[in-house]
Structures are given as structure tokens and as C-alpha cells.
Amino acid sequence: MPNSKSTLKTSQANTTSSEAEILALRKEIEQLRLEKAAAFDRLNVQEAIHKNFGESQSRFEAIFYQSVLGQKIIAPDLRIMQVNESLQQMMGYSKAELVGTRITEFAHPDFVRDWQALQKKLWEEQIPSFQIETCLLKKDGTSFWCQVTSILFQDQDATLGFTIVENIDKRKLLELKLKKLYDNQETIMHMVAHDLKSPLNNIMLAARLLKETLEEPETKKQEKDEQIFSYVNLISETSDSALHLISELLLIGEIESRYATLEQTDLKDYIQFHLNSLRVDAERKGISLLFHHSGKPVFAAIDRSKFRWVLENLLSNAVKFSQENGQISLTLKEEGDKKVLQVQDNGIGIPAELHATVFQKFTKARRQGTKGEPTTGLGLYIVKQIIEEHKGRVWIESQADAGTSVFIELP
């Protein structure tokens, strides 16, 4: 028989080994429980994150798509990745027409550099946000002023620009009105300080000399009569000059304060009608006034009141700078969808070095007429303002001593 003591020891050793194994198993089970709890915690955190992300995404989409402001997301190459309904309505394009294109494709040609500056500031210099005031083109070809604010944000591995577009046409219109008011004040001060001061001084001088002459005793009647006539003539001429200045000043004020009311008008009949009342000055200098046209109606949208000022200024200039017995011709024609009016004279012309300034206010190109007629330097400036208000353009072709042609192109 085995020794009882030996068997007891063996049993105790086995018991101790089993207890150790059980303890190890318990530790392993506890570790697994802790890991399981941690896994559940991580899962709950991930679910919370996913839930929060989903809620944030929903809030973002609600703000993005329902905002009354135009909004878009752009890539570093200025490619449009997403747009909201407000921006589509603002620009007149559908989502399909905008997404995938570059915003520079819709920039007014004069303002493409604004977007290049925004691109540089955000993605090269890494400025968190950047703002510009720029001009965008609508699908119908018109343009509008907008304030653009773009903010950088991370989307996975890409850095994109969340961009808000606000139409600021009304504010820009107010700024333009304020500028025009300032320009008008500047014009008034300029004319009072320079152009009106001289004729008024001449009138005062002539009136004083006339008074002194009339007070002289009756000796040399013929000589006295000649002096009186010369003083009266000076008063008459300088008064005409002052009145012309005041008229053009008032004209500028009216042009810039009243919006153009455009009406479809047959330019052929319109010009023919007004030429009859504009021939007087030409006839005084023996200048023939010709009107060339195809005989067919040529329709354009014009403000009939303002466009008369265009005709008056162009013909007045042509008569003023033409020699006696010269010729002025008006030519009306259609070139595609454009209507072109050319006013041509064979007068003294304009030197090439003055061409760049002829449409400026108080241009340095102004000169006296061929018979000493005064000029304010405002005629072509007024013409340009009116034609641009009609969305047209005006330019000249001229050489010294070879006459001048003024071209007007209307849509």
C-alpha cells in the first residue's frame, strides 16, 4: 500500500496547483471583462461621436441649403464643389451648371484678380478667412456686386473653402450716388472758381467801361458809338459763355440724378426729327448737315430726353470745330445686333496725344472753336455718361487738321 503521508502531500500539491490555475483563470476572466467593458465604452463613444457628427452634419446642411445668403464650397483650385439654392437663384444657373466649374468662369473680366487674391490668401498664405468685394456675371449677361467671405475648413484630407456670397448691389448703388454727389460738388467748385469767374469779370469790366463811355461828353460820336458797340458785344458774348457753362452744369446734375427711362425707338425717325431743330448753328457757319441711312427702321432702347443731349453735344462740337462752309455727316447703320451712329466732320481734328483725355471732365483737349466759340470741356464727358447708362460705348477717330469721327454703339 502506498504511504498515506505521501498521498496526502500529493493531494495537497494538486489542490494548490488547481487553486493557482483557478486564480489565473479568474484574473484572465476579469481582464477579459475589463477589456469588454472598455470595448463597450469605446463603442459608446464612437456611437456618440457618430451621432454628434450626424447631428452636426444635419445642422450644417440645414444652414447651408436653407440660407437666404448664397453659399458654396470651393476647392483650392477654385472649383465649385457644392452650391445652395440661394446662390443658384442669385446667379441664374442650375446646380448642374455650377458644380464642377471654377468660380473664375463667372467673374466679371475686370475682377478675376479678386478671386486669384482670395486663392492666394487662403491656400498659399493659410489665412483662416478672407473677404472681397467683387463683381459676378449672371447667366443673362448682367452683373451684380457681391461681398464674398471664404473660411477654410478641413474635410478628411482636403482643405476647402466655405464661401458666403451676399448681393450688395443696393449698397454699391448708394456709394455710387454719394460719389456722384461729391463729383458734382467738385464740378460746381471748379466751374465757379475757373470757368464762370472769367466771363463774369469780363461782363463787369465791360459794363464799367460802357458806363464811363456813356458819361463822356459828346465829342467824337462815331468813335464813342464804336466803343459802346464793342462793350455791348463783349457783354453779349461773355453772357452767352456763362449761360452755356451753367446749362452744362445743370445738365450734368440732371443726368446723374435721373435714371434713364429706356423706350424702343426708331433711331432713323428720331434723329431726322431732331436734326431739323439742330441745323441753325450749322447754317450760321454755312455748314451742310447730311444724314445717311438705309431707309429702314433702326430700333434701339433709348431715353429719348437724354439721347437728345447726345445729339446736341456731338453736333455742337462738330459745328464748333469745323471751318465755314464745311460738312458734317451723320451715318446710322446696323452691325449684327448693334446699332452704330457715326458723326463725322472735316474740321480741325484732335491731335493723337489728346485722344486719351477727350472724354474726361474738363478735358485738357478743349480748345476754342474755329470762330472763337467757347468750350467747357464737358461735351464728350456728358455724351460718354449717357451712352454708358444705355449700356453702349463711344469712341473717336481723329487726326489733327483732318476732321473727327465720333462713334456710338448701342445694344
Side-chain angles (χ1 to χ4, degrees), residues 32-234:
L32 289 172
R33 188 187 68 77
L34 291 173
E35 289 179 359
K36 180 181 179 182
F40 275 114
D41 287 341
R42 286 195 299 272
L43 182 61
N44 289 335
V45 169
Q46 288 176 351
E47 288 179 350
I49 291 173
H50 181 74
K51 181 181 179 182
N52 289 337
F53 176 79
E55 291 175 353
S56 297
Q57 183 75 8
S58 297
R59 286 194 297 270
F60 171 80
E61 289 179 356
I63 293 171
F64 184 85
Y65 289 109
Q66 298 176 19
S67 174
V68 296
L69 297 174
Q71 295 185 358
K72 65 178 182 290
I73 295 173
I74 54 176
D77 61 356
L78 300 182
R79 182 167 40 87
I80 300 172
M81 302 184 67
Q82 192 56 275
V83 293
N84 70 350
E85 181 68 25
S86 294
L87 186 61
Q88 295 172 51
Q89 293 178 358
M90 195 181 296
M91 298 185 66
Y93 287 96
S94 68
K95 180 178 179 180
E97 291 173 311
L98 290 171
V99 173
T101 62
R102 286 182 171 81
I103 187 61
T104 46
E105 296 177 31
F106 308 97
H108 188 286
D110 296 339
F111 296 89
V112 173
R113 290 183 180 180
D114 291 344
W115 294 99
Q116 294 170 344
L118 181 142
Q119 184 183 35
K120 180 179 180 182
K121 290 292 182 181
L122 291 178
W123 282 282
E124 291 184 25
E125 300 180 15
Q126 292 293 300
I127 293 176
S129 65
F130 190 67
Q131 190 173 82
I132 57 174
E133 288 187 1
T134 189
C135 206
L136 286 172
L137 295 174
K138 297 181 181 180
K139 188 174 182 178
D140 63 8
T142 60
S143 61
F144 67 98
W145 278 96
C146 57
Q147 179 173 281
V148 178
T149 304
S150 199
I151 304 165
L152 288 181
F153 73 98
Q154 288 296 129
D155 182 37
Q156 297 180 357
D157 296 330
T159 303
L160 306 177
F162 175 74
T163 306
I164 301 169
V165 181
E166 181 182 2
N167 189 319
I168 57 170
D169 258 350
K170 291 183 179 179
R171 174 163 69 80
K172 280 293 182 179
L173 181 60
L174 289 175
E175 290 176 0
L176 182 61
K177 285 185 176 180
L178 288 173
K179 183 180 184 304
K180 285 184 175 181
L181 285 173
Y182 176 82
D183 289 343
N184 285 343
Q185 290 177 343
E186 183 184 37
T187 300
I188 292 169
M189 294 304 297
H190 182 100
M191 295 186 80
V192 170
H194 297 87
D195 297 86
L196 282 176
K197 184 177 180 181
S198 178
L200 289 174
N201 282 338
N202 287 339
I203 291 171
M204 292 173 63
L205 175 62
R208 180 170 58 81
L209 292 174
L210 178 59
K211 182 174 180 290
E212 292 175 356
T213 302
L214 290 172
E215 290 175 347
E216 291 177 358
E218 290 282 344
T219 52
K220 299 179 180 179
K221 181 174 175 52
Q222 183 177 355
E223 182 179 335
K224 187 176 182 179
D225 288 344
E226 289 176 356
Q227 286 180 327
I228 291 173
F229 180 78
S230 66
Y231 297 148
V232 171
N233 190 50
L234 177 60

Side-chain angles (χ1 to χ4, degrees), residues 16-30:
T16 300
S17 175
S18 296
E19 289 176 351
E21 289 178 1
I22 291 169
L23 182 61
L25 285 171
R26 284 177 176 173
K27 287 182 178 181
E28 188 173 346
I29 291 170
E30 180 64 17

Side-chain angles (χ1 to χ4, degrees), residues 390-403:
H390 284 69
K391 307 299 182 186
R393 67 187 187 104
V394 57
W395 71 96
I396 67 162
E397 292 178 4
S398 183
Q399 293 181 5
D401 302 317

Side-chain angles (χ1 to χ4, degrees), residues 210-303:
L210 178 59
K211 182 174 180 290
E212 292 175 356
T213 302
L214 290 172
E215 290 175 347
E216 291 177 358
E218 290 282 344
T219 52
K220 299 179 180 179
K221 181 174 175 52
Q222 183 177 355
E223 182 179 335
K224 187 176 182 179
D225 288 344
E226 289 176 356
Q227 286 180 327
I228 291 173
F229 180 78
S230 66
Y231 297 148
V232 171
N233 190 50
L234 177 60
I235 291 173
S236 176
E237 289 178 354
T238 51
S239 296
D240 287 344
S241 175
L243 181 61
H244 184 64
L245 284 167
I246 293 170
S247 297
E248 294 221 323
L249 176 60
L250 294 174
L251 181 56
I252 290 176
E254 187 171 350
I255 289 170
E256 297 182 343
S257 64
R258 184 175 70 81
Y259 292 110
T261 303
L262 304 182
E263 302 175 65
Q264 282 294 328
T265 303
D266 180 359
L267 294 178
K268 176 182 66 66
D269 288 347
Y270 177 89
I271 294 170
Q272 187 68 65
F273 175 80
H274 288 292
L275 278 185
N276 295 328
S277 61
L278 297 173
R279 293 180 185 275
V280 178
D281 288 342
E283 290 174 351
R284 285 175 183 166
K285 291 180 75 170
I287 295 172
S288 58
L289 193 56
L290 308 175
F291 183 28
H292 305 290
H293 54 81
S294 67
K296 298 178 181 179
V298 178
F299 284 96
I302 63 170
D303 183 304

